[in-house]
Every structure is written in C-alpha cells, then in structure tokens.
Amino acid sequence: MSTIEEEFIATVSHELRTPLTSIRGFSQTLLNSWDKIKDDDKKKFIGIIEEQSNRLIHLVENILTVSRADAEHQVLKKTNVNEIIRKIVPLIENQYKGHKYEINLMPTLPPALLDEDKFQQIMTNLVDNASKYSEEGKKVTISTEICKNMICIKVKDEGVGIKAEDYDKIFKKFSRLENHLTSKTQGNGLGLYITKQLVEKMNGHITFTSSKEGTIFEIVFPFYNEEDVLRCSQTS
Ligand SMILES: Nc1ncnc2c1ncn2[C@@H]1O[C@H](COP(=O)(O)OP(=O)(O)O)[C@@H](O)[C@H]1O
Ligand SMILES: [Mg+2]
C-alpha cells in the first residue's frame, strides 16, 4: 500500500470513529439511564445522534467519490471544454438563485484530451465552491482562454477569499477553512482534494490566487494532440 493510501485510511478511520463514538455513547446513556434523564435532555441527546448520523452519511458519500476517482479508469477523448462549461454552469445556477453567473468563452479554443465525466466533476466542484463561499448577489465568472500555449479555465468569485496562512491546507483531504460561510454551509473538505487529483491525472495543473476581493481558481490542460492519444492507448 502506498503512503498516500495509508494516510488516507488513517484520516478516514479518524473521521468515522469520532461520530460513531458519539452515537454509541449517547445511545448507551439513553438506554442505561432512561428513567433518570429529563425529557429535555433526552431530546438533546437524540438530536446529537441524528446530527452525527448525517455527518457520517455525507462522509461516506465523499469517500466513495474519492475511491472511485482513484480506481476508475479514465476514458480520455477529444473534448470541447466550452461545451461542457455551457452544460454545467446552469445546473449550479439553479441551486444558487441569488448569485449572478457570467460565462466568457474563447470561441476558437482548441480541444483538450480529457475524460468528460471527470472534467464535469472538476467544473462542478469549482463553480459550486465559488458560489458557496460568496454571499448572495455576488458574481461568479467562468472563462476560457489560451495562456502559455495551454487551455486555461478560470473560475472567479467575489467571495470571502482564502487567507495566506491557509494556502497549503486548501487541497488537503477533509480540510475546511475557518470563515463565516464555511460554518454556515455543508461540506467535508474533499472537493478540492478530489479536483486536484483529477486535474493532475489528466495532465493538467490547478492553481489559485486570492485577495479580499475574492478568489480565482485556474486550471490548465495541454492542447489535444494525436500523438498523446496513441501513447495513451499503448500504455493502458
Ligand atoms: N472559492 C473559494 N473561496 C473561499 N474559500 C474557498 C473557496 N473554495 C474552497 N474554499 C475553502 O476551502 C475549503 C475546502 O474546499 P472543498 O475541498 O471544496 O471542501 P468543502 O466545500 O466540502 O468544504 C472549504 O471548506 C473553504 O473553506
Ligand atoms: Mg467544495
């Protein structure tokens, strides 16, 4: 087993054990001392059991996504990045009705060699974060262009921003940063971890810049090239 896998299992075990221990503890207390516990406290304990069960459900869903991302074979093909962006953004727009969305796509953008489902997952994670970590009424801008001979996709928000001291945490598993929107929103800190893995598996690169005005996530992919397709089919 690789160090990454061992580290992953250690983190997951910890994340599973914490809510399970709490669920077991409160259930045992209720069972053993039912007659002695006040009604208000009973209600509170059952509330905690429910909350911790929900936490487990979200966690398991994300762990399944992570293991699928690692194990699943990629289906790389000539992909029109703009087309997928046009398809994905309205789906997220639907969930965040208070935000504004702007799409600026380069009409002559060359194709890339990508797995379409995985690229959709990448875009969904980034546009979802841009929406989730900015207040209602703010604008999320998704754009494509060519930069340094690569296909460049940017997701820009006017949100809470990422503090410099958090820069090295952002792509780590289960890391949610402290800001007032993180505590108000659902998440488990796996989205950007999965995103980075997927981008790099498809020979891309992800970076971000952030300030008080907001954050820009940028991903780059090489242009589609017949020779790469041949090489992929020989090695897989
Ligand atoms: N666009 C963004 N602006 C500000 N903070 C962000 C942004 N995207 C991600 N973050 C921070 O990084 C953390 C990790 O993101 P992610 O892995 O997608 O997890 P999740 O969204 O489940 O919390 C988030 O909890 C949030 O604190
Ligand atoms: Mg997220």
Side-chain angles (χ1 to χ4, degrees):
M1 208 187 293
S2 71
T3 325
I4 297 176
E5 281 168 312
E6 279 168 20
E7 188 199 317
F8 183 65
I9 290 170
T11 323
V12 168
S13 318
H14 172 78
E15 292 288 318
L16 287 172
R17 198 169 289 133
T18 315
L20 281 173
T21 308
S22 153
I23 290 170
R24 187 179 58 185
F26 283 104
S27 322
Q28 280 172 343
T29 310
L30 284 168
L31 280 172
N32 297 341
S33 326
W34 185 261
D35 296 332
K36 286 181 229 136
I37 307 171
K38 285 190 281 190
D39 278 358
D40 274 0
D41 286 335
K42 280 182 188 150
K43 208 167 169 188
K44 197 169 101 193
F45 293 172
I46 294 170
I48 296 172
I49 293 174
E50 196 211 5
E51 196 183 288
Q52 295 297 322
S53 310
N54 283 333
R55 183 173 156 191
L56 276 176
I57 290 168
H58 282 291
L59 181 70
V60 169
E61 275 167 4
N62 274 280
I63 291 167
L64 289 177
T65 314
V66 171
S67 56
R68 272 190 231 119
D70 289 343
E72 243 180 53
H73 194 64
Q74 309 198 93
V75 187
L76 297 174
K77 59 178 196 180
K78 191 173 179 177
T79 302
N80 181 333
V81 164
N82 288 347
E83 217 169 82
I84 296 184
I85 293 175
R86 271 191 225 105
K87 191 161 102 186
I88 287 298
V89 176
L91 300 180
I92 299 167
E93 201 168 352
N94 227 359
Q95 295 168 38
Y96 295 91
K97 296 237 159 59
H99 286 69
K100 297 186 196 90
Y101 292 83
E102 188 179 313
I103 305 182
N104 297 323
L105 305 177
M106 181 183 183
T108 53
L109 194 74
L113 182 66
L114 297 176
D115 177 310
E116 283 196 8
D117 289 343
K118 301 210 156 110
F119 181 62
Q120 281 186 24
Q121 199 177 351
I122 292 167
M123 289 312 297
T124 305
N125 278 336
L126 294 181
V127 181
D128 180 65
N129 278 349
S131 317
K132 192 157 72 165
Y133 303 114
S134 60
E135 305 280 356
E136 254 184 49
K138 297 287 184 189
K139 188 161 83 177
V140 175
T141 311
I142 302 98
S143 58
T144 57
E145 62 191 287
I146 295 177
C147 37
K148 294 192 191 133
N149 237 3
M150 304 274 272
I151 291 168
C152 172
I153 303 144
K154 288 186 186 156
V155 179
K156 177 172 181 276
D157 67 52
E158 301 172 341
V160 287
I162 299 161
K163 288 186 240 120
E165 66 253 38
D166 288 332
Y167 282 6
D168 57 346
K169 297 190 198 134
I170 195 98
F171 293 113
K172 295 230 167 89
K173 277 171 263 167
F174 303 112
S175 82
R176 300 200 79 208
L177 310 177
E178 265 176 48
N179 63 54
H180 68 284
L181 289 176
T182 308
S183 50
K184 273 203 286 191
T185 52
Q186 284 273 3
N188 38 45
L190 282 171
L192 284 177
Y193 167 75
I194 295 171
T195 301
K196 187 171 157 71
Q197 305 276 311
L198 294 178
V199 169
E200 290 176 358
K201 234 178 140 187
M202 296 192 285
N203 302 317
H205 191 61
I206 179 163
T207 52
F208 67 92
T209 50
S210 192
S211 72
K212 277 198 208 99
E213 278 78 52
T215 305
I216 305 174
F217 274 88
E218 181 178 322
I219 41 178
V220 295
F221 288 111
F223 299 146
Y224 171 83
N225 172 340
E226 258 349 296
E227 282 164 30
D228 291 340
V229 182
L230 282 175
R231 207 170 36 243
C232 283
S233 60
Q234 277 158 7
T235 51
S236 62

